[in-house]
């Protein structure tokens, strides 16, 4: 009983997100077919591989968080998911661990009002400035990074 007709259904859909994902999927496919995903995953592994799966997870998480401050969380997750899977498989680690890391990191857009529509909405309505998000968001992201680096491997072991 929540949808009365197709017009009602279409009015409830977020077409911006659908178009965004549809536009980012070809980019992810192009990166995969050209070998870009492998290059990025191998770069992360060569840089952080000495620290094992845990170090690579931390690196992918941090890259996803930083990238997610300037691009929507949906696009960030779509772009970093194949990189995380490729890195996990190259290290014979559990891909679920890395995917949960990407999913949570992509949702940590606290430090800028750019990446999240919610942040953008409250920016002007609440009279906030850009630096207000940085001042509160960066410490919150650091706390969440510590929590997630403990919780993710605990619930999804390598």
């Amino acid at each position: 009983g929540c949808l009365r007709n197709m017009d009602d259904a279409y009015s409830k859909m977020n077409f911006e997100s659908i178009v965004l994902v549809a536009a980012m999927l070809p980019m992810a496919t192009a990166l995969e077919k050209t070998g870009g995903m492998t290059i990025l995953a191998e770069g992360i592994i060569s840089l952080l591989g000495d620290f094992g799966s845990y170090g690579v997870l931390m690196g992918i998480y941090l890259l996803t968080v930083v990238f997610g401050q300037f691009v929507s969380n949906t696009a960030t997750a779509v772009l970093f998911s194949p990189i995380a899977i490729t890195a996990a498989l190259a290290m014979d680690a559990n891909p679920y661990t890395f995917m949960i890391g990407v999913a949570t990191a992509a949702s940590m857009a606290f430090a800028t009002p750019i990446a999240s529509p919610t942040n953008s909405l409250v920016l002007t309505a609440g009279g906030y400035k850009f630096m207000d998000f940085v001042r509160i968001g960066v410490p919150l992201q650091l706390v969440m990074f510590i929590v997630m680096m403990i919780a993710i491997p605990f619930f999804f072991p390598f």
Side-chain angles (χ1 to χ4, degrees):
C2 57
L3 292 176
R4 309 272 184 247
N5 55 42
M6 287 307 292
D7 291 332
D8 191 29
Y10 284 126
S11 71
K12 304 292 186 222
M13 292 178 70
N14 184 349
F15 285 104
E16 290 175 357
S17 295
I18 293 170
V19 170
L20 178 67
V21 170
M24 294 309 287
L25 286 175
M27 180 183 269
T29 303
L31 279 171
E32 186 177 339
K33 290 203 185 277
T34 61
M37 295 295 180
T38 305
I39 292 169
L40 289 169
E42 287 174 357
I44 292 169
I45 291 171
S46 68
L47 186 65
L48 300 169
D50 292 340
F51 299 105
S53 298
Y54 196 74
V56 174
L57 174 65
M58 287 174 33
I60 289 174
Y61 185 96
L62 289 172
L63 281 172
T64 306
V65 166
V66 170
F67 194 80
Q69 299 312 302
F70 308 102
V71 179
S72 80
N73 60 351
T74 307
T76 302
V78 168
L79 284 176
F80 277 89
S81 293
I83 295 168
I85 291 172
T86 304
L89 293 176
M91 298 181 66
D92 290 326
N94 184 359
Y96 291 116
T97 308
F98 288 79
M99 290 304 298
I100 294 296
V102 168
T104 55
S107 300
M108 299 293 167
F110 304 139
T112 65
I114 299 168
S116 173
T118 308
N119 293 357
S120 300
L121 286 172
V122 300
L123 177 68
T124 53
Y128 297 113
K129 295 180 179 35
F130 190 91
M131 285 307 294
D132 293 333
F133 285 89
V134 175
R135 193 173 20 256
I136 298 299
V138 170
L140 181 57
Q141 285 177 324
L142 290 173
V143 168
M144 291 307 298
F145 172 73
I146 293 166
V147 170
M148 288 297 118
M149 289 303 106
I150 295 168
I152 292 170
F154 179 77
F155 290 109
F156 301 93
F158 295 107

